[in-house]
């Protein structure tokens, strides 16, 4: 029994064939190797980023808590408080 | 309930701040007013102190911070104010030029992080801000004058 296909279906089928994932003959080994190669950068980068973040959390900039300008009686002339969130 | 809690915490914060300021001033009252820079340790805080005429300046940081950094911040503040207030750093000139004083504080430290310790850079930025405000004020006055002139000319032509 023959099934007639429209032009669109035929074209779509060809596209599917074209976009089929290429699997080499030594598929299992190659797949593992490729995935290992592809994934190689990501954990290193993540580890590096993690290391940087931990460094940033541990090394804080010197912070000032307040600046006061008083007169000779101790009254405020200008004051600034800074919230230290770290 | 939340608003009550926030109000009480805010009040407590203000009271503690005032108490801290009072204690700091009391402990610095025996220090000289000759412009010498002094370091004090109080309530787990380091405070750098400098007096000029009847004005006393303090820079406060946590006890873990480096004292030299505190000193450099206070020196930058004092030098900037000296230049901007034309050599006289006292209460009257500071109050008369309070906008400049607050601009210096803003250019010096933001959110506790030290932005600049070079007094000339701070002065440049403060002067730039003051100039831009001055220019904008001049522009508005000139615009007002121009519109008044236009209206007068229209009325005369009618």
């Amino acid at each position: 029994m023959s099934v007639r296909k429209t032009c669109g279906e035929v074209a779509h089928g060809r596209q599917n064939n074209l976009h089929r994932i290429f699997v080499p003959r030594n598929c299992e080994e190659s797949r593992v190797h490729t995935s290992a190669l592809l994934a190689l950068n990501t954990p290193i980068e993540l580890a590096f980023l993690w290391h940087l973040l931990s460094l940033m959390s541990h090394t804080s900039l010197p912070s000032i808590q307040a600046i006061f300008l008083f007169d000779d009686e101790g009254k405020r002339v200008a004051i600034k408080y800074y919230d230290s969130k770290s | 309930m939340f608003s009550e809690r926030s109000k009480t915490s805010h009040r407590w914060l203000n009271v503690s701040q005032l108490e801290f300021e009072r204690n700091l001033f009391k402990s610095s009252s025996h220090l000289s007013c000759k412009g010498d820079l002094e370091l004090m340790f109080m309530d787990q805080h380091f405070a750098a102190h400098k007096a000029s005429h009847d004005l006393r300046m303090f820079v406060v940081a946590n006890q873990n911070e480096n004292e030299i950094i505190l000193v450099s911040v206070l020196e930058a503040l004092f030098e900037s104010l000296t230049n901007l207030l034309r050599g006289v750093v006292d209460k009257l000139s500071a109050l008369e030029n309070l906008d400049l004083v607050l601009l210096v504080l803003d250019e010096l430290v933001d959110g506790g992080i030290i932005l600049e310790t070079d007094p000339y850079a701070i002065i440049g930025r403060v002067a730039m801000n003051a100039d831009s405000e001055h220019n904008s004020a001049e522009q508005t006055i000139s615009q007002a004058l121009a519109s008044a002139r236009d209206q007068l000319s229209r009325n005369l032509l009618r």
Side-chain angles (χ1 to χ4, degrees):
Chain A
M1 188 180 172
S2 64
V3 179
R4 295 184 71 183
K5 289 184 179 178
T6 61
C7 290
E9 282 172 349
V10 170
H12 191 67
R14 280 179 188 166
Q15 275 185 355
N16 280 345
N17 283 337
L18 284 172
H19 289 108
R20 194 184 293 164
I21 299 162
F22 172 73
V23 181
R25 286 180 186 173
N26 52 349
C27 50
E28 283 305 316
E29 192 184 343
S30 173
R31 215 178 272 173
V32 169
H33 186 63
T34 311
S35 63
L37 272 175
L38 284 172
L40 189 65
N41 286 332
T42 315
I44 290 170
E45 284 171 3
L46 278 176
F48 182 63
L49 279 174
W50 187 255
H51 182 63
L52 273 181
L53 283 172
S54 63
L55 275 178
M56 281 169 71
S57 64
H58 284 112
T59 52
S60 59
L61 290 165
S63 66
I64 302 296
Q65 290 184 327
I67 296 178
F68 305 133
L69 269 75
F70 295 138
D71 66 357
D72 52 354
E73 295 172 355
K75 289 178 184 171
R76 289 172 166 181
V77 174
I79 60 161
K80 281 264 182 185
Y81 280 95
Y82 304 103
D83 292 329
S84 56
K85 289 172 186 174
S86 61
Chain B
M1 185 175 175
F2 177 71
S3 61
E4 283 177 8
R5 197 186 298 164
S6 65
K7 274 181 189 173
T8 51
S9 66
H10 188 63
R11 204 180 301 140
W12 176 83
L13 193 69
N14 277 341
V15 168
S16 71
Q17 284 178 351
L18 284 171
E19 196 179 341
F20 179 75
E21 289 169 24
R22 208 174 296 131
N23 291 336
L24 189 69
F25 184 77
K26 274 182 188 172
S27 59
S28 73
S29 58
H30 69 279
L31 297 175
S32 68
C33 296
K34 293 175 183 174
D36 297 333
L37 206 147
E38 309 272 354
L39 270 171
M40 302 176 343
F41 184 73
M42 202 192 79
D43 292 344
Q44 299 179 340
H45 295 283
F46 265 126
H49 164 261
K50 187 160 184 151
S52 170
H53 300 284
D54 55 352
L55 197 69
R56 287 174 179 269
M57 285 169 275
F58 297 90
V59 176
V60 183
N62 198 12
Q63 60 175 342
N64 300 323
E65 298 297 342
N66 195 334
E67 301 92 340
I68 298 167
I69 292 171
L70 276 185
V71 169
S72 65
V73 170
L74 187 55
E75 285 286 351
L77 173 66
F78 182 72
E79 288 295 324
S80 308
L81 289 181
T82 305
N83 279 297
L84 286 167
L85 304 179
R86 292 167 189 172
V88 184
V89 184
D90 61 351
K91 179 188 171 184
L92 186 66
S93 56
L95 286 173
E96 280 177 349
N97 300 290
L98 194 60
D99 53 341
L100 293 179
V101 174
L102 292 175
L103 278 173
V104 167
L105 292 181
D106 285 343
E107 294 294 338
L108 191 67
V109 180
D110 183 35
I113 306 296
I114 302 160
L115 297 177
E116 186 65 67
T117 53
D118 181 13
Y120 296 104
I122 294 168
I123 291 161
R125 285 178 190 167
V126 169
M128 193 170 63
N129 285 338
D131 282 347
S132 66
E133 283 171 10
H134 188 64
N135 285 337
S136 63
E138 275 183 353
Q139 276 178 358
T140 51
I141 289 165
S142 62
Q143 282 170 359
L145 281 171
S147 63
R149 200 180 301 142
D150 287 342
Q151 280 184 356
L152 272 172
S153 59
R154 279 176 199 163
N155 287 334
L156 286 170
L157 284 171
R158 282 177 190 171

